[in-house]
């Protein structure tokens, strides 16, 4: 076949974003997937977003990625988590219709400019002069390219566990990728083994909802994408049930048959999304665990019981599921299972997500030790952009986002510095600058960077230009027009009688002053849309905190400005202990700041490193 600039292997969330991003950059791109019909498949829970994860989706969207728009087209219940808390920790989330999501993703990619969909399985890599040049498919076809992105998900040497049953598979009903795993090991990429799982699927027509708690969505639903004006897909509700003492007893009495406890599974599972058997063991004092019964589609009776991921045998799953309130007569459509798979230690990657062992090879998604659609899509976006840059010129400067610019930067930096000893999941607590990195302002932080880079299309650029102009006008009005204490008092707002005139922004710092009061005092602000006014309110509420956080960011960037040579020989720095030297050699941090974030790094070691680099400069 004819050559490409970029080849992306895998049609999951990371692969779709990587292929689209590379194509938007102008690279002639091939997306290799077993079947076009499975592009955009939601292998586990059909839901997008959440705390930290929703921030990633907004940032993907700000750089003209796909996930936000597809979620808006497929979402059947939207909720902003932590809505009663500060804007920095609010997380948009949507329950999606599995079929609508898949169809929406395929509709976008089917005729995407610069993108060719190739049906087939990648079996091997083409490598010349220690540089990746393309892929070999299982049927013998060869595709050449300047860069390759692997987004293999759980397919690398995947093995499904269902009780004592073990089945080689990448996911339910699909074969694993064995050849690629052997190839990566042959070229020295550091591989490990992780585990994830999924619950049984239930027939919603056989659930008794009458005694269950209803969980409605937000009204009106809040879209993910800055391009979506309104959610038009019909909305539905979820329900909540709980485990009981009988549930726990059915599980405890069969732990010896659980692959996690019998020694059958060796890979490490996600600490923050444990199986139900793990919950029963680790939280033995809890009388019950919450389970969300989430519909998988508007015209699909399948229900996803979020909270009971398991690999217990079928008969045990039958026993404990039927103890759940509302589920005593439920029919199980598919049993839950665990899956083990190979991953590559992400400390072996550059900031561009390119392999240090094999230049031209980029990795994104679960192959880097993450868990979740959003984390995968975020890496896919970054890898696709950088693969396109690399294909154009192997010496091109990579596109990176730092920890003070976005959760995208937090994600990549965490992986590269800390590795993935367990499946990595994003939380707002991972971002030290989260007051600035909010879900509401992702476009303000990133869209202009995307425009300059060339990965943002005309439609989004135009929408951003209009919004930017409105924000500038509203902020000018909110910061320039001011009222005296007497004028404020006469209109029902009491402040210190200090003679100081106060703007709208000044007044929004007062916790007892509402936006409605500010709009009454400054009626010209009423001309702006609710979205713009929300930004004005957040700007005012956070102003003092953001000033202090900016000082922290300035200090962080000073450390990040000191780059460490890629060829630095840490053995030449005599003051380093063997333990510190080993850690530095394994991670090979790009900056002094990244070195400081390595677990166990000491102030003395950083000073020695700083002095050595400055002397050598």
């Amino acid at each position: 076949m004819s050559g490409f600039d970029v080849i992306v292997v895998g049609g999951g969330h990371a692969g779709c974003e990587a292929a689209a991003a590379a194509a938007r950059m102008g690279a002639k791109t091939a997306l290799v997937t077993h079947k076009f019909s499975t592009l955009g498949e939601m292998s586990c829970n059909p839901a997008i977003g959440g705390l930290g994860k929703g921030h990633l989706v907004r940032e993907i969207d700000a750089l003209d990625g796909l996930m936000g728009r597809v979620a808006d087209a497929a979402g059947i219940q939207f909720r902003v988590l932590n809505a009663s808390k500060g804007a920095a920790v609010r997380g948009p989330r949507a329950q999606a219709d599995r079929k609508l999501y898949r169809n929406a993703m395929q509709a976008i990619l089917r005729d995407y400019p610069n993108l060719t969909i190739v049906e087939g399985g990648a079996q091997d890599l083409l490598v010349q002069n220690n540089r990746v040049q393309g892929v070999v498919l299982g049927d013998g076809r060869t595709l050449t390219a300047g860069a390759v992105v692997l987004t293999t998900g759980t397919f690398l040497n995947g093995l499904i566990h269902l009780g004592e049953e073990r089945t080689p598979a990448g996911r339910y009903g699909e074969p694993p990728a064995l050849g690629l795993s052997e190839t990566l090991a042959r070229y020295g990429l550091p591989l490990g083994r992780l585990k994830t799982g999924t619950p049984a699927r239930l027939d919603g027509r056989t659930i008794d909802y009458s005694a269950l708690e209803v969980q409605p969505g937000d009204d009106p639903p809040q879209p993910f994408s800055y391009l979506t004006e309104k959610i038009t897909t019909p909305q539905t509700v979820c329900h909540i049930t709980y485990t009981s003492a009988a549930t726990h007893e059915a599980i405890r009495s069969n732990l010896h048959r659980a692959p996690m406890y019998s020694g059958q599974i060796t890979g490490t599972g996600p600490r923050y999304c444990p199986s139900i058997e793990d919950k029963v063991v680790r939280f033995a004092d809890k009388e019950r665990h919450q389970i969300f019964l989430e519909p998988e589609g508007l015209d699909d009776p399948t229900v996803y019981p979020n909270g009971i991921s398991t690999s217990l045998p079928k008969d045990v799953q039958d026993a404990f599921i039927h103890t759940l309130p509302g589920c005593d007569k439920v029919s199980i459509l598919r049993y839950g299972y665990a899956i083990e798979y190979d991953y590559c230690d992400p400390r072996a990657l550059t900031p561009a997500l390119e392999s240090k062992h094999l230049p031209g090879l980029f990795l994104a998604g679960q192959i880097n030790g993450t868990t979740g659609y959003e984390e995968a899509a975020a890496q896919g976006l970054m890898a696709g952009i950088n693969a396109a840059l690399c294909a154009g010129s192997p010496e091109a400067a990579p596109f990176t986002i730092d920890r003070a610019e976005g959760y995208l930067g937090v994600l990549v930096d965490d992986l590269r510095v800390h590795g993935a000893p367990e499946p990595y999941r994003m939380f707002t607590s991972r971002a030290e600058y989260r007051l600035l990195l909010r879900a509401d302002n992702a476009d303000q932080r990133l869209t202009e960077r995307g425009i300059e880079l060339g990965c943002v299309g005309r439609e989004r650029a135009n929408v951003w230009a209009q919004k930017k102009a409105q924000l500038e006008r509203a902020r000018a009005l909110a910061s320039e027009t001011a009222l005296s204490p007497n004028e404020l008092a006469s209109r029902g707002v009491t402040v210190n009688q200090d003679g100081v005139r106060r703007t709208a922004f000044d007044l929004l710092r007062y916790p007892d002053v509402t936006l409605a009061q500010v709009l009454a005092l400054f009626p010209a602000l009423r001309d702006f849309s609710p979205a713009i006014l929300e930004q004005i309110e957040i700007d005012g509420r956070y102003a003092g905190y953001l000033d202090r956080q900016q000082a922290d960011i300035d200090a962080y960037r000073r450390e990040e400005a000191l780059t460490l040579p890629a060829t630095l020989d840490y053995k030449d720095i005599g003051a380093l202990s063997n333990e510190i030297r080993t850690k530095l050699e394994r991670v090979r941090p790009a900056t002094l700041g990244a070195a400081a974030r390595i677990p166990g790094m000491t102030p003395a070691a950083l000073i020695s490193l700083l002095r050595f680099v400055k002397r050598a400069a």
Side-chain angles (χ1 to χ4, degrees), residues 258-389:
M260 284 181 59
Y261 290 91
S262 67
Q264 185 173 309
I265 290 178
T266 58
T268 304
R271 178 168 33 134
Y272 300 106
C273 188
S275 66
I276 186 60
E277 50 264 42
D278 210 15
K279 290 180 185 178
V280 168
V281 171
R282 287 168 51 190
F283 308 107
D285 58 318
K286 291 185 72 73
E287 295 181 356
R288 64 178 190 172
H289 296 281
Q290 192 175 56
I291 302 166
F292 296 92
L293 299 177
E294 300 172 334
E296 293 204 351
L298 295 173
D299 60 357
D300 184 346
T302 307
V303 168
Y304 183 98
N306 192 347
I308 54 170
S309 170
T310 185
S311 57
L312 283 162
K314 294 176 182 178
D315 61 300
V316 181
Q317 292 189 45
D318 270 317
F320 84 73
I321 287 173
H322 286 101
T323 67
L324 306 176
C327 297
D328 55 312
K329 297 180 180 178
V330 73
S331 294
I332 298 175
L333 300 176
R334 196 179 85 194
Y335 291 94
Y337 62 85
I339 182 167
E340 278 188 295
Y341 55 94
D342 288 347
Y343 83 104
C344 176
D345 188 333
R347 290 173 294 187
L349 302 177
T350 72
L353 296 180
E354 185 178 14
S355 170
K356 297 175 184 176
H357 292 72
L358 274 179
L361 177 66
F362 295 78
L363 307 181
Q366 283 177 288
I367 192 173
N368 290 338
T370 61
T371 180
Y373 305 145
E374 304 82 3
E375 292 87 346
Q379 294 170 75
L381 175 85
M382 298 298 289
I385 289 172
N386 280 302
L389 291 171

Side-chain angles (χ1 to χ4, degrees), residues 154-174:
T154 59
F155 278 73
L156 274 188
N157 204 13
L159 181 64
I160 282 179
H161 298 264
L162 176 48
E164 294 84 357
E165 301 174 22
R166 285 183 281 191
T167 307
R171 63 183 169 215
Y172 186 81
E174 297 188 47

